[in-house]
Amino acid sequence: MKLFYAPGACSLGIHLLLEEIGKPYEAVLLNLREGAQFKPEFTSINAKSKVPTLLRDDGSVLTEYPAIAYYLAATNPEARLLPADPAMAARALELTDFAVATVHMQGFSRIFRPANFAPSEADHEAVKARGREIYEKGLAVMDRALEGQDYLCGEFSIADSALFYVCFWWAARLGHALPANVAAHYDRMKARPAVARTMAAEGLA
C-alpha cells in the first residue's frame, strides 16, 4: 500500500496506524505548501486534493480519515485497532469522527483558515475565537472520555490516533495546554514505539 501524507497533517494519525500494524507500506510525501495536492500527478489519484490518501494493493483508492482508519483496523484484526465488542467498536468510531469532523474541521479549520468561514477580514478574529472555543470544548469531551483509563476505549484503538493528531496541533503547533487526562494520553501516545517512528519519519521528533 501507499500512504500519501504531509508532515504533521491529519495523515499523521493514519501514518502511525500503519506503523502499529507493522506490515510493509510506502509513505509518499506530498508537499502541500507547494500545491502538490493540486497537480495532475496527484489529482489523478485523489480528485479531492487532500491527505490522507491510501492507495491499496489492488490499485483502488480510499480517502477520508475515518474510512481509512476503519479499513486498516478491519483488514488487520491482529493489530487490535478496534475493540472486539460491537458497542465499544462503535464508540471508537464515534470518537474518531468527533475528533476529525468537529475538533479538526470545525475548530482547527476556523483557526487556520478563517477566510473559509467569513469573507470579510474584519470578522476573522471572531472566527478564530470560535474555532478555539470549539477546540477547547472538544478536548474537554475527550478528557471526560479518558477519565480512569489510559486510552479512549480502554485499550488503544483508531480513536486514539485521531485524538493524537489534534493534540499535536493544539500543543506542539499552537503552544496551548491540554486538559490533564488528554495531556497524559498525549504523553502516553508519544511513548509508543510506532508513534515515535512516525514522528521521526515525518521530521517531527
Side-chain angles (χ1 to χ4, degrees):
M1 294 188 291
K2 288 185 180 181
L3 171 69
F4 292 86
Y5 79 98
C10 56
S11 49
L12 174 65
I14 298 299
H15 199 166
L16 73 85
L17 289 178
L18 285 165
E19 283 294 323
E20 290 281 351
I21 290 167
K23 292 181 179 177
Y25 71 94
E26 180 182 353
V28 182
L29 190 153
L30 205 64
N31 194 321
L32 303 184
R33 291 183 178 180
E34 293 182 359
Q37 69 273 34
F38 302 117
K39 294 179 179 178
E41 294 85 352
F42 184 67
T43 57
S44 63
I45 298 169
N46 183 2
K48 297 174 183 176
S49 297
K50 59 191 290 191
V51 295
T53 297
L54 188 71
L55 180 62
R56 293 182 281 198
D57 291 335
D58 64 0
S60 64
V61 175
L62 192 60
T63 66
E64 307 302 334
Y65 192 106
I68 296 172
Y70 172 77
Y71 171 77
L72 292 175
T75 54
N76 297 277
E78 70 285 351
R80 299 172 64 182
L81 300 179
L82 270 179
D85 176 65
M88 289 306 296
R91 186 68 69 199
L93 292 169
E94 174 191 43
L95 291 165
T96 300
D97 187 69
F98 180 68
V100 176
T102 299
V103 182
H104 171 179
M105 298 306 298
Q106 295 297 322
F108 187 79
S109 294
R110 279 178 166 82
I111 296 170
F112 271 79
R113 294 185 177 86
N116 289 351
F117 297 87
S120 172
E121 191 171 346
D123 296 324
H124 286 184
E125 287 306 314
V127 171
K128 291 179 183 179
R130 176 58 179 149
R132 289 190 292 270
E133 180 184 347
I134 293 170
Y135 220 119
E136 289 172 348
K137 183 178 180 180
L139 291 176
V141 169
M142 295 297 198
D143 199 64
R144 289 192 294 273
L146 283 164
E147 190 69 43
Q149 56 187 10
D150 288 345
Y151 296 102
L152 287 168
C153 294
E155 295 184 356
F156 177 83
S157 75
I158 62 172
D160 299 292
S161 72
L163 176 57
F164 177 74
Y165 87 75
V166 297
C167 285
F168 171 74
W169 288 352
W170 190 250
R173 284 190 165 178
L174 299 177
H176 296 315
L178 295 164
N181 294 329
V182 173
H185 176 273
Y186 183 56
D187 289 339
R188 197 173 294 119
M189 287 290 292
K190 287 189 293 183
R192 293 181 71 89
V195 176
R197 290 194 300 271
T198 303
M199 298 292 279
E202 296 200 7
L204 305 172

